[in-house]
Amino acid sequence: MKYPVLRNIGSLVSQHSGIFIRDQDYDAFAEKVGRRVKALGLASLADYHNYLCNELATSTDAGVSSTRPLGQPSPRSEWQELYSILTINESYFFRDSNQLKLLAEQLLPSIINRKLAVAKTTGGGVTPKPRLRIWSAGCSTGEELYSIAIALDQLNFPWDQWDALLIGTDISKTAVDSARRGLYGSWSFRQVPTQIQRTYFEAHNQLYKICDRLQQHVVFRWGNLLNDPCPNPSLGLDSIDLIICRNVFIYLDSQAIGQIIQKFHGVLGPQGYLLTGHAELYGQDTRQFQTLSFPASIVYQKTSGQGAQLSPPKPAQTVSATRFKAPARPIAARPQTSSVGPGPAASLVSNKALDEALQEAEALLRQEAYAKAIQRVEPLLRTHPACDTAHKIAARAHANMGRYDQAKQLCHRLLSRDPLSIDMVYLLAQIAEDQNDLEVAKEHLRKVIYLDSCFVKAYLDLGSIYEREKQTKKAQKMRRQALSLLAKLPPDSVLDDHSHTTIAQWQEHLEKKLEIKSNA
């Protein structure tokens, strides 16, 4: 058996956190653990295994809630060093805009209306403040929870009239400490409209700080989803109205996921919602929840005796940015034909009705009406199977709705005819990155660069992935290459038409990144 001692370390990690080291990940795991062995001055992996076991055996709860069970590693420990290199704490504001839109337009208004009704019927003559509890389980550096706070504020939520608390927990103390500071660099705002950033953040040296008005309603704590007691009223983790746990289960083994789902069900209040990443609970037993299906996501709801129905959605002024957009150049409205030779598809060029249908579908895509875009383009896929543009529109729409399997199938179908379609290769890279399949994402991005060595976004995405993997030299190499390409473009032109980020702004961001890393 390869890596016998390392596998014992992996089993120990899984036992105490649920983090599962896959067979194909053991080479990378060996490298990461090796760095810790060297940092501690230990002689072997066996010594490191004993070090971790001894830390568990002698662990005290100093500095941690008294509710933490014995044998649970302290947040200030070698275990924390290990967690920090095993988990990826890279996030950004308004990530997965479709789920955020669902929250802002349906779930949050439903919760608010229901809690107001409950407060009015239980006041006994004096209406108490209604209670709101939202838990970001696996909060990373805090962008997700602050995005929800902003979404609430955009709904004109009356903070002073509510007992409202937004709670973030994460197994990485480094991430929790960062979230508590509420300081973020420009990279965290890559999908944020400028007006939102100006409204809710203020400049702080070369960073941006969340406004005190929202920060006072948000708390962050270190926590282990697998081993911490739950519910835990002393920490506010009881009768939760909404749990968001995205991109966490991808690290865990199936048994750990099942245990955590049971905890979530127990800590949710009646009719409370659980929102996870797309397809993260596939194969799990979720029968204790009512499953609500929306175009943007599946939502799990804890039912009450009276059943659970969403209240009519209130109008919401919510931020929304297309996640899976066209790369650099727009998709032409006029269809391309298959490269297999002349045939019936050749007549499509002059087909005015088809052109109009594609233009309409593309417009729906730009408006983020993804379901309607798919509905408009699906008949074209049947009647004109060689229409590349129809495939591209459908693939992007499915991807933005989290229907990754359908999107990838469309991408591969088009690539089987046109292996040089950069649009589809780049879309596959974006999907893989969103699913945290970073090796596949890197493979697709390298192919994009092979097909088009001037494709700036591929270098930027690769740089981001390498940074998440703590491969600093590779990340810097990608950023320097991106800078050299950006220098050839007009400074005022827009690189990202959704966040309206200009070439000059990207240059400034990358120069700061390179300077910070070189001085580190």
Side-chain angles (χ1 to χ4, degrees), residues 207-226:
L207 301 173
Y208 299 90
K209 188 179 188 304
I210 186 73
C211 65
D212 293 339
R213 184 172 63 84
L214 292 188
Q215 192 173 26
Q216 64 180 315
H217 299 288
V218 181
V219 298
F220 295 97
R221 299 187 177 99
W222 180 80
N224 184 316
L225 292 178
L226 182 63

Side-chain angles (χ1 to χ4, degrees), residues 218-239:
V218 181
V219 298
F220 295 97
R221 299 187 177 99
W222 180 80
N224 184 316
L225 292 178
L226 182 63
N227 285 334
D228 281 355
C230 194
N232 191 337
S234 66
L235 299 182
L237 295 177
D238 66 312
S239 298

